[in-house]
Amino acid sequence: MNAPFGVRQFVEQLPKAELHVHLEGSMRPELLLELARKRGVSLPADDVAGLRRWFRFRDFAHFLEIYLACSRCLREPEDFQALMTDFAAHQAAQNIVYSEVHFTISTHVGNGVNGDEIAQALGEALTTAEAESGVLIRLIPDIVRNLAPAAADVTLEWALAHRDKGVVALGLAGLEGVSVAPFGEHFALARAAGLRTTAHAGEQCGPESIHEVLEVCRPDRIGHGISAVEDPDLLRALAAERIPLEVCPTSNVRLGYAESVARHPFERLRRAGVAVSVNSDDPPLFETSLIDEYQVLAAAFGYSRSQLGELARSAFEHSFLDDGLREEYLERFDAQLKTLLETTV
Ligand code: ADE
Ligand code: ZN
């Protein structure tokens, strides 16, 4: 007879993939303090408790301000390497065997850091992490829609130049409500060059924002997409065309786009037949982790272990891994899930 197994232990042991997590937004307070000291950046707090108080976001603009302050502490290639190494260790500790990591290269190039040196540093950190802990990490440089198209040019060029360093897709982030029209061509060029695509939409704005991004950028996946729940036709289209949503429940609560996890549209989206994956977005900034995200969803919606297993499978299924490798990950996942379901009560 096996000992009773809690939801948290089950989720901890479940092999997981994460499709929506930002590298800069994964900077733990301890590393942020270390980098700020090293690079002479002054922050409004000089201890972890103070930083946690700073991470109480009034709204999205306030969040972006803090996000950019964290980004300013990354000055040298070794800083990026340290961040990626720390990130990889935390993914490995959570049994997240595959991650697609959003990254805002244009911010750093705008801060005067050399883009090729950043790519080299990140590439080395990825390779070392894979060799040492077996976790596979891929990069998604994001265009920032509230910045000028010149910054988007930098992002696209960097994405195309560094596929050998782990870039798999072009993304879009930043302030919704700013037109995406200037970026349609960037997405078309990325697609033509064989990159995959994803775009944040339907997080800060209503379903019209998802329609706009689908028309202009034609992404393979949508980041967040939670306001689709307000538009039954859109829900049907997302389900029929198999456009998956990368959902980040705690992020939505912390930024004020959902009242609570219990009232979050996650379950309504899933029931409408839309493919959803579970993600943490900017974990230390929202004081969460991928394990926490599965756990709060299980508590809010009463998911069984096999339902949690299906959710975890969905992330592998909708990953931007090459077809052959995705199949390998899925086969391994299915075998591990079967064992886990059989050996835990
Ligand atoms: N950049 C980092 N996190 C983001 C989010 N949740 N939405 C849009 N842009 C972001
Ligand atoms: Zn995001």
Side-chain angles (χ1 to χ4, degrees):
M1 183 74 185
N2 295 306
F5 213 62
V7 168
R8 188 165 187 98
Q9 281 168 295
F10 178 79
V11 172
E12 280 170 0
Q13 297 210 5
L14 201 54
K16 292 169 289 296
E18 182 159 39
L19 307 182
H20 189 128
V21 57
H22 295 260
L23 186 63
E24 298 89 335
S26 295
M27 209 185 288
R28 287 179 308 107
E30 293 80 0
L31 181 61
L32 175 57
L33 289 172
E34 185 189 319
L35 290 175
R37 266 183 224 122
K38 208 160 155 187
R39 302 301 172 211
V41 175
S42 108
L43 298 175
D46 58 10
D47 61 17
V48 171
L51 285 181
R52 295 229 160 93
R53 283 192 295 276
W54 190 41
F55 296 163
R56 298 275 154 193
F57 308 112
R58 289 187 298 276
D59 52 27
F60 192 77
H62 183 220
F63 164 75
L64 269 192
E65 190 186 304
I66 292 175
Y67 193 85
L68 290 172
C70 299
S71 298
R72 275 197 292 280
C73 298
L74 295 160
R75 303 295 320 178
E76 299 291 333
E78 70 194 61
D79 303 342
F80 292 84
Q81 199 155 3
L83 175 58
M84 180 57 91
T85 300
D86 193 59
F87 170 79
H90 280 263
Q91 298 300 89
Q94 291 183 79
N95 201 15
I96 304 173
V97 295
Y98 176 68
S99 307
E100 290 178 5
V101 186
H102 290 255
F103 177 59
T104 318
I105 182 63
S106 61
T107 300
H108 309 294
V109 172
N111 288 344
V113 194
N114 181 296
D116 293 335
E117 289 179 12
I118 296 174
Q120 187 65 32
L122 292 179
E124 278 170 26
L126 296 189
T127 310
T128 306
E130 194 181 342
E132 287 179 0
S133 54
V135 295
L136 189 63
I137 294 172
R138 292 292 176 253
L139 295 170
I140 305 182
D142 279 336
I143 287 176
V144 182
R145 61 193 281 174
N146 48 292
L147 297 182
D153 298 346
V154 167
T155 307
L156 176 63
E157 276 167 31
W158 192 84
L160 294 175
H162 297 298
R163 278 180 284 184
D164 63 336
K165 310 277 185 336
V167 173
V168 284
L170 180 68
L172 177 86
L175 278 176
E176 280 184 70
V178 177
S179 166
V180 285
F183 310 118
E185 205 183 328
H186 296 81
F187 276 82
L189 288 169
R191 202 166 22 252
L195 285 177
R196 307 297 302 274
T197 53
T198 178
H200 286 66
E203 174 200 29
Q204 304 147 38
C205 294
E208 68 289 346
S209 168
I210 303 174
H211 283 288
E212 183 201 11
V213 148
L214 286 174
E215 257 164 53
V216 177
C217 305
R218 298 180 42 220
D220 297 312
R221 298 193 310 238
I222 297 278
H224 300 282
I226 54 170
S227 65
V229 81
E230 298 162 26
D231 182 340
D233 289 338
L234 179 57
L235 280 183
R236 275 190 286 276
L238 292 172
E241 291 166 35
R242 303 301 293 162
I243 299 177
L245 305 184
E246 307 153 4
V247 186
C248 313
T250 300
S251 161
N252 299 146
V253 173
R254 293 291 292 260
L255 291 177
Y257 301 118
E259 217 175 282
S260 61
V261 176
R263 289 175 179 245
H264 191 280
F266 187 89
E267 175 58 8
R268 281 171 281 157
L269 294 163
R270 195 184 73 84
R271 284 204 182 198
V274 178
V276 286
S277 61
V278 180
N279 302 277
S280 65
D281 210 9
D282 304 288
L285 298 181
F286 300 134
E287 294 174 286
T288 189
S289 69
L290 188 61
I291 290 174
D292 289 340
E293 296 300 307
Y294 279 92
Q295 193 179 11
V296 293
L297 286 172
F301 302 117
Y303 292 139
S304 64
R305 285 152 206 231
S306 61
Q307 281 175 314
L308 290 169
E310 276 167 36
L311 287 173
R313 190 178 202 280
S314 173
F316 288 99
E317 221 177 313
H318 300 106
S319 71
F320 292 150
L321 283 164
D322 291 342
D323 291 348
L325 200 50
R326 190 184 324 104
E327 283 311 312
E328 266 178 45
Y329 271 82
L330 280 169
E331 261 176 44
R332 205 173 316 141
F333 173 84
D334 288 342
Q336 289 172 327
L337 177 62
K338 187 167 176 284
T339 308
L340 201 52
L341 288 171
E342 283 169 358
T343 55
T344 60
V345 197

